[in-house]
């Protein structure tokens, strides 16, 4: 463990596994162009369910990315996590060989549902064939912490590890957890969330959410901030980041892509969307305070964009409340409308997108959304060029969590 005084928490690596791209370049190209990839669900066993549209990760071949030893022990959500973590580590320049200081690297992930596909398969064996046919990995593969454990084991990381078992906002909470670990002296943290909620059992569970959209037209199923808003569309995938001490990163010649400046979380209760306005506004103000950031310094807002009229109204009110007059002028975007909400993975993807937007000086558009019915400067149709130094990322969960995260643009240095 390094004895130097910890500095700011810097994002140095990004790994993306998403419906519109399985690497950063492909993902950013799709997001920048405002491409919508929502489509009819093709997963086997889902044909009879009223949930028709989702964001699927196409052509994901886990066997080409992950060793067989790990494949047989883990669910699809962990396959996504391990693949995204490897991409993030490569991006950060930490992906080759055994770590020189294994106790200086930790892992924290967020998970909203765990390994539903693996669990369903083993439970079907239990019901249909008996307990002798249930595999030994059932006890770990479905578990919320499975991705954290497998990423750390696979990479040989022995630093502090954890999992945030939460709703969607847990993705931002995990990043804050990693940033705090870095500020306390941990050298690097692999952090993020990936989800795989499109197995039949998982989908049946989601049908209990009144906020879920069951519209079968991909272009109309997920349209937040419009009069036609009818709920959200789920997605699989997510993102992993490498967060490390900024001084340490610069000393090893890494590119500091962004810094984690401020975070705050609140709780206002499940489906109490009117109350979420106050809770989300409080989270925004708390994140700004921690970042030492004035409202007018926010250059872009990545909205939660649930797609439920009451929730959309509450989010617009929260932005206006916390940012004042600037809240009606600042560009707001929700790229997730093009790919769906990947639960805990959704806000981590938004953070990755915010970093890319700041690097490229472009606010990506909000696919499928045109006729805005709230007082927001929502970016639609095409990307908007802008000088972006500071981004605000918002997230709310179906169980009542609210979170806000402030990220600032990093300065490049040669690797």
């Amino acid at each position: 463990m390094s004895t130097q005084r910890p500095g700011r928490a810097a994002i140095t690596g990004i790994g993306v596994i998403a419906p519109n791209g399985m690497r950063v370049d492909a993902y950013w190209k799709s997001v920048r162009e405002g491409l919508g990839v929502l489509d009819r669900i093709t997963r086997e066993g889902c044909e009879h369910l009223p949930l028709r549209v989702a964001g699927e990760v196409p052509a994901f071949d886990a066997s080409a990315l992950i060793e067989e030893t790990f494949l047989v022990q883990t669910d699809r959500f962990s396959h996504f996590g391990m693949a995204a973590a490897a991409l993030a580590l490569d991006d950060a320049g930490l992906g080759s060989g055994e770590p020189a200081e294994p106790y200086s690297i930790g892992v924290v992930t967020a998970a909203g549902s765990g390994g539903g596909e693996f669990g369903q398969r083993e439970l079907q064996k239990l019901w249909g064939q008996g307990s002798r046919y249930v595999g030994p990995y059932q006890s770990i593969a479905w578990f919320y912490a499975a991705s954290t454990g497998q990423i750390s084991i696979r990479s040989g990381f022995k630093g502090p590890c954890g999992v945030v078992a939460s709703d969607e906002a847990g993705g931002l909470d995990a990043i804050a957890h990693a940033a705090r670990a870095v500020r306390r002296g941990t050298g690097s943290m692999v952090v993020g969330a990936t989800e795989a909620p499109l197995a039949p059992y998982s989908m049946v569970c989601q049908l209990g959410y009144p906020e879920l959209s069951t519209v079968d037209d991909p272009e109309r199923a997920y349209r937040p901030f419009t009069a036609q808003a009818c709920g959200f569309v789920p997605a699989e995938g997510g993102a992993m980041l490498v967060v490390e001490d900024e001084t340490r990163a610069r000393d090893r010649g890494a590119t500091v892509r962004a810094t984690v400046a401020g975070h705050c979380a609140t709780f206002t209760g499940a489906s109490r969307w009117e109350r979420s306005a106050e809770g989300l506004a409080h989270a925004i103000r708390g994140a700004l305070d921690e970042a030492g950031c004035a409202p007018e310094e926010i250059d872009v807002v990545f909205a939660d964009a649930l797609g439920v009229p009451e929730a959309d109204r509450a989010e617009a009110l929260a932005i206006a409340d916390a940012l004042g007059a600037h809240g009606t002028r600042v560009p707001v975007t929700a790229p997730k409308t093009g790919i769906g909400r990947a639960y805990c993975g959704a806000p981590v993807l938004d953070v990755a997108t915010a970093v890319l937007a700041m690097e490229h000086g472009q606010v990506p558009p909000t696919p499928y959304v045109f006729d805005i019915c709230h007082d927001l400067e929502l970016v639609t149709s095409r990307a908007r060029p802008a000088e972006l130094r500071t981004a605000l990322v918002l997230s709310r969960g179906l169980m009542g969590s609210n979170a806000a995260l402030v990220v600032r643009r990093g300065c490049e240095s040669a690797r």
Side-chain angles (χ1 to χ4, degrees), residues 114-165:
E117 183 173 4
F118 195 108
Q120 175 180 340
R121 183 174 66 244
E122 297 303 309
L123 288 175
Q124 285 177 324
K125 291 179 183 177
L126 174 64
W127 296 332
Q129 299 172 276
S131 59
R132 294 175 59 189
Y133 293 88
V134 177
Y137 300 117
Q138 164 70 348
S139 61
I140 60 172
W142 70 269
F143 192 44
Y144 295 90
S147 295
T148 290
Q150 298 291 6
I151 290 168
S152 62
I153 292 168
R154 186 188 190 205
S155 300
F157 300 150
K158 300 180 180 181
C161 289
V163 60
V164 178

Side-chain angles (χ1 to χ4, degrees), residues 17-168:
I17 301 291
N20 59 345
M22 288 194 286
R23 294 181 182 274
V24 166
D25 290 347
Y27 172 77
W28 172 247
K29 182 177 185 296
S30 177
V31 167
R32 182 193 64 219
E33 294 177 0
L35 300 180
V37 298
L38 298 181
D39 208 341
R40 299 296 290 266
I41 295 170
T42 63
R43 300 295 297 279
E44 184 179 355
C46 301
E47 303 84 0
H48 63 292
L49 298 175
L51 176 58
R52 306 290 189 185
V53 174
E56 295 183 344
V57 176
F60 177 76
D61 183 3
S63 63
L65 301 170
I66 300 163
E67 301 86 342
E68 177 66 21
T69 302
F70 293 100
L71 286 180
V72 299
Q73 300 178 20
T74 48
D75 180 79
R76 185 175 174 88
F77 94 106
S78 293
H79 300 165
F80 289 149
M82 285 187 281
L87 292 172
L89 288 162
D90 286 343
D91 187 46
L94 295 172
S96 57
E98 292 291 322
E101 299 180 77
Y103 289 98
S104 72
I105 306 178
V107 182
V108 60
T109 63
S113 59
E117 183 173 4
F118 195 108
Q120 175 180 340
R121 183 174 66 244
E122 297 303 309
L123 288 175
Q124 285 177 324
K125 291 179 183 177
L126 174 64
W127 296 332
Q129 299 172 276
S131 59
R132 294 175 59 189
Y133 293 88
V134 177
Y137 300 117
Q138 164 70 348
S139 61
I140 60 172
W142 70 269
F143 192 44
Y144 295 90
S147 295
T148 290
Q150 298 291 6
I151 290 168
S152 62
I153 292 168
R154 186 188 190 205
S155 300
F157 300 150
K158 300 180 180 181
C161 289
V163 60
V164 178
S166 181
D167 54 22
E168 291 89 326

Side-chain angles (χ1 to χ4, degrees), residues 310-341:
E310 297 82 2
D312 294 344
R313 186 179 308 112
E315 184 168 21
L317 290 172
I319 293 170
D321 184 4
L323 301 185
H326 186 60
T328 61
R329 299 190 299 264
V330 64
V332 177
T333 186
K336 63 170 68 74
T337 62
I339 62 174
R341 289 169 65 93

Side-chain angles (χ1 to χ4, degrees), residues 69-366:
T69 302
F70 293 100
L71 286 180
V72 299
Q73 300 178 20
T74 48
D75 180 79
R76 185 175 174 88
F77 94 106
S78 293
H79 300 165
F80 289 149
M82 285 187 281
L87 292 172
L89 288 162
D90 286 343
D91 187 46
L94 295 172
S96 57
E98 292 291 322
E101 299 180 77
Y103 289 98
S104 72
I105 306 178
V107 182
V108 60
T109 63
S113 59
E117 183 173 4
F118 195 108
Q120 175 180 340
R121 183 174 66 244
E122 297 303 309
L123 288 175
Q124 285 177 324
K125 291 179 183 177
L126 174 64
W127 296 332
Q129 299 172 276
S131 59
R132 294 175 59 189
Y133 293 88
V134 177
Y137 300 117
Q138 164 70 348
S139 61
I140 60 172
W142 70 269
F143 192 44
Y144 295 90
S147 295
T148 290
Q150 298 291 6
I151 290 168
S152 62
I153 292 168
R154 186 188 190 205
S155 300
F157 300 150
K158 300 180 180 181
C161 289
V163 60
V164 178
S166 181
D167 54 22
E168 291 89 326
L172 296 187
D173 297 341
I175 295 173
H177 182 97
R180 286 193 294 269
V182 166
R183 293 178 190 129
R184 288 194 299 263
T186 301
S188 305
M189 294 291 292
V190 179
V191 58
T194 56
E195 303 268 25
L198 302 184
Y201 169 75
S202 299
M203 289 174 58
V204 169
C205 293
Q206 292 168 76
L207 288 170
Y209 299 144
E211 296 87 357
L212 190 74
S213 172
T214 55
V215 173
D216 61 6
D217 181 351
E219 295 192 2
R220 297 180 180 275
Y222 185 22
R223 302 188 64 197
F225 303 117
T226 72
Q228 293 77 37
C230 55
F232 74 94
V233 164
E236 59 182 3
M240 298 295 294
L241 312 173
V242 173
V243 175
E244 59 183 303
D245 175 75
E246 183 181 23
T247 302
R248 178 190 178 108
R250 293 191 186 283
D251 286 349
R252 70 177 183 85
T255 298
V256 174
R257 306 189 72 160
T259 57
V260 180
H263 166 267
C264 186
T266 63
F267 181 79
T268 48
S271 297
R272 297 179 178 178
W273 298 116
E274 295 84 357
R275 294 188 182 184
S276 76
E278 180 182 0
L280 185 60
H282 186 89
I284 294 170
R285 287 192 291 268
L288 294 178
D289 286 345
E290 185 176 273
C293 179
E296 56 270 19
E297 292 181 65
I298 297 298
D299 299 310
V300 60
V301 176
F302 283 77
D304 175 63
L306 187 63
V308 174
E310 297 82 2
D312 294 344
R313 186 179 308 112
E315 184 168 21
L317 290 172
I319 293 170
D321 184 4
L323 301 185
H326 186 60
T328 61
R329 299 190 299 264
V330 64
V332 177
T333 186
K336 63 170 68 74
T337 62
I339 62 174
R341 289 169 65 93
Y343 292 98
C344 285
V348 185
L349 279 169
D350 279 344
V351 172
T353 310
V355 174
L356 295 167
M358 290 189 289
E359 289 178 345
H360 292 274
Q362 291 183 301
V363 180
T366 307

